[in-house]
Amino acid sequence: MSVVANGDSHETENTSDQSYVLDIYPLSSYYFGSKEPIPFKDQTLDDRIQRMKSNYAAHGLRTCVEAVILVELFKHPHLLLLQVRNSIFKLPGGRLRPGESDIDGLKRKLKRKLSLNEDGNEIDWEVGECLGMWWKPDFETLLFPYLPPNVKRPKECTKLFLVKLPVSQKFIVPNNMKLLAVPLCQIHDNQKTYGPVISGVPQLLSKFSFNIIDS
Amino acid sequence: MVTSPVVNTYPLSSYTFGTKEPKMEKDTSVADRLARMKVNYMKEGMRTSVEAILLVQEHNHPHILLLQIGNTFCKLPGGRLKPGENEIEGLKRKLTSKLGCQFTCSCARLAEIITLDEYVIVKKLIEHTFISTKNVMAIGECVAIWWRPNFETIMYPYCPPHITKPKECKKLFLVHLSEREYFAVPKNLKLLAVPLFELYDNVQRYGPVISTIPQQLSRFQFNMITT
């Protein structure tokens, strides 16, 4: 905000013309193929918690970055989700390496999960704004959209970024995962199936108006 | 590193709260409210409402200011726009009308105080005017939009598929407060500062719009200022 010295305020305020418009393209304009599976690192929840604890001891707070990617189907925005093991849904993304930046890390994860590892035509992922953050005070699975009071040492922070797609792209997915396009109306309020992070995505996107581009 | 936008929050104690004449709700029941909405829709088309998220900090945790009607029902300050009214101007109008908020800093406000009973308030206003020439309350970005497809209470954070004529569109705006503000709360309402952790996942108490504000604010970095 910039203020003129005579006391009247002339801040660079939000005008109602400030629009968050998102171009989205039909699902049919994208290609989907598969590649060799990515092995799962943990067999059980306990394994995962153990691994998180040793990672925390070595590197401190773990940051995860995840991508919110949208396509259009039946005139309604659909979110791309990876389905693993039949009942677990995830946003494409993963944990950052120590010292890695959010954007570099997200691009690395998107390349690993959604495209060929050695690709002649490198996809240049367009990473947009951060839509929201979730914090894990403990190694157990509970997440909060704020740092809970009195928590001085959170164990994990997950950041959701909007990723904008071009008019057409090729997605190559490890064959032990499925890539789904799920309508926002199915995700909304459906914490039971999708968990708090994914089921909260429609609210994080609510300020955007979707410009559906029919090729 | 992507930096999150910063929001300055000041302690609740740096603000002054007074009262003003009661502002009664226009409708006595949900049914009345929906009926009146229908009448207005016939005359003016889809209702656009704007609401403000005003943040303070207590114990280093962000709190939202909510207006409580009666014993349980809480709402954000704001209201319906007039047909053709600009969203920002409309929200300022509502905040001025509901909470006596001031968006400009000038000594002309002193002319409004006319009785001796309000001497204490006058003194604080003078202090306020001279202290806060640096920053003034300002409307920030839109953080969420909710749609009402029918004349019912349910709202969604997207316009549902197959709905071509939504009845209401509600926009929530973050409002940046300066270090000192004076709020005049209507006598029949209470102004509460509710922590984010109390709102999160508490649909029963606060409804889907207010209980999901913590997620919509999660991308901001709160600069908790202690005076």
Side-chain angles (χ1 to χ4, degrees):
Chain A
M1 285 193 297
S2 58
V3 182
V4 177
N6 70 7
D8 283 342
S9 64
H10 291 293
E11 303 92 344
T12 45
E13 273 183 356
N14 176 47
T15 65
S16 65
D17 287 329
Q18 178 201 58
S19 50
Y20 294 99
V21 179
L22 205 54
D23 290 337
I24 58 174
Y25 302 93
L27 178 59
S28 56
S29 66
Y30 299 101
Y31 298 90
F32 298 91
S34 66
K35 61 175 184 176
E36 75 286 353
I38 293 180
F40 297 122
K41 289 191 188 129
D42 314 298
Q43 290 298 94
T44 66
L45 185 57
D46 282 338
D47 284 346
R48 181 144 189 273
I49 292 178
Q50 257 323 108
R51 192 163 61 88
M52 281 178 69
K53 278 184 174 160
S54 52
N55 280 327
Y56 182 79
H59 307 294
L61 172 72
R62 203 64 177 280
T63 306
C64 286
V65 286
E66 295 183 347
V68 170
I69 306 177
L70 296 159
V71 299
E72 173 266 329
L73 189 59
F74 305 130
K75 303 261 181 288
H76 187 65
H78 284 55
L79 180 65
L80 293 189
L81 291 180
L82 287 167
Q83 183 179 15
V84 295
R85 294 188 186 144
N86 275 354
S87 59
I88 299 174
F89 298 93
K90 294 178 156 197
L91 290 167
R95 291 195 212 89
L96 294 182
R97 290 179 181 148
E100 192 177 27
S101 82
D102 293 342
I103 309 265
D104 287 344
L106 186 56
K107 289 185 179 181
R108 175 175 63 83
K109 285 293 176 184
L110 289 175
K111 183 174 170 196
R112 177 143 162 78
K113 304 252 163 99
L114 296 179
S115 64
L116 282 175
N117 291 336
E118 308 89 28
D119 199 330
N121 305 325
E122 275 277 337
I123 297 178
D124 189 22
W125 298 95
E126 191 185 335
V127 179
E129 63 175 79
C130 173
L131 296 172
M133 298 204 276
W134 291 81
W135 299 87
K136 231 186 231 199
D138 299 307
F139 296 111
E140 317 307 311
T141 42
L142 229 49
L143 291 151
F144 298 91
Y146 46 79
L147 194 57
N150 305 324
V151 171
K152 299 271 187 290
R153 290 196 294 212
K155 305 299 180 285
E156 195 171 287
C157 169
T158 301
K159 298 185 184 182
L160 271 59
F161 287 90
L162 185 62
V163 172
K164 298 183 192 175
L165 289 181
V167 59
S168 180
Q169 193 165 287
K170 207 166 169 183
F171 291 100
I172 310 287
V173 182
N175 63 21
N176 57 338
M177 299 177 192
K178 278 187 255 183
L179 185 62
L180 311 176
V182 188
L184 292 190
C185 57
Q186 185 171 317
I187 299 171
H188 170 60
D189 223 13
N190 197 345
Q191 225 186 99
K192 208 156 159 219
T193 308
Y194 299 104
V197 176
I198 294 176
S199 66
V201 166
Q203 290 138 15
L204 298 180
L205 291 173
S206 67
K207 67 187 189 193
F208 294 98
S209 72
F210 298 104
N211 183 23
I212 294 173
I213 302 186
D214 245 317
S215 39
Chain B
M1 226 30 181
V2 177
T3 49
S4 328
V6 178
V7 176
N8 289 331
T9 52
Y10 300 93
L12 186 56
S13 55
S14 76
Y15 300 108
T16 314
F17 299 92
T19 58
K20 64 201 212 64
E21 74 287 352
K23 202 151 175 47
M24 304 310 293
E25 287 295 290
K26 290 197 182 117
D27 313 295
T28 45
S29 69
V30 171
D32 283 350
R33 186 158 169 263
L34 295 173
R36 190 166 62 90
M37 199 184 287
K38 217 173 198 171
V39 169
N40 284 327
Y41 182 83
M42 298 305 169
K43 281 192 286 179
E44 297 163 356
M46 183 184 81
R47 165 188 293 205
T48 306
S49 29
V50 286
E51 295 186 347
I53 298 175
L54 302 154
L55 290 161
V56 301
Q57 72 96 338
E58 276 297 287
H59 311 301
N60 278 334
H61 187 70
H63 288 54
I64 294 183
L65 297 185
L66 294 179
L67 285 167
Q68 184 176 335
I69 302 169
N71 276 340
T72 47
F73 186 68
C74 284
K75 59 177 195 174
L76 290 165
R80 183 165 69 98
L81 291 182
K82 296 185 174 142
E85 187 177 22
N86 169 279
E87 292 164 353
I88 308 298
E89 294 311 314
L91 186 54
K92 286 184 180 176
R93 174 176 65 82
K94 283 294 175 185
L95 287 173
T96 307
S97 135
K98 303 247 162 119
L99 288 177
C101 292
Q102 299 292 338
F103 291 92
T104 55
C105 207
S106 73
C107 296
R109 283 162 39 212
L110 295 179
E112 294 167 31
I113 311 304
I114 52 172
T115 69
L116 278 174
D117 290 346
E118 295 173 326
Y119 172 70
V120 170
I121 299 170
V122 172
K123 187 163 174 293
K124 282 204 176 346
L125 277 174
I126 296 174
E127 285 166 14
H128 167 81
T129 308
F130 289 127
I131 288 168
S132 64
T133 45
K134 271 199 303 176
N135 293 307
V136 176
M137 184 189 281
I139 311 290
E141 58 177 272
C142 174
V143 299
I145 300 182
W146 290 80
W147 299 87
R148 191 189 304 272
N150 304 307
F151 295 113
E152 287 162 2
T153 48
I154 196 159
M155 296 189 84
Y156 298 92
Y158 46 80
C159 193
H162 316 305
I163 298 292
T164 47
K165 295 198 189 142
K167 306 300 179 284
E168 182 177 351
C169 171
K170 182 189 289 219
K171 297 191 180 188
L172 271 58
F173 289 87
L174 185 61
V175 174
H176 297 274
L177 296 181
S178 70
E179 192 177 350
R180 298 252 179 282
E181 300 286 352
Y182 171 64
F183 296 104
V185 184
K187 287 201 174 90
N188 60 322
L189 303 176
K190 278 187 257 186
L191 188 63
L192 312 175
V194 186
L196 292 189
F197 64 74
E198 160 75 7
L199 297 179
Y200 174 58
D201 220 16
N202 200 344
V203 184
Q204 310 280 56
R205 175 91 174 75
Y206 297 101
V209 174
I210 295 178
S211 67
T212 54
I213 291 176
Q215 287 94 303
Q216 290 144 1
L217 296 182
S218 66
R219 54 186 284 260
F220 295 104
Q221 191 184 316
F222 294 103
N223 185 15
M224 320 265 188
I225 301 176
T226 45
T227 43

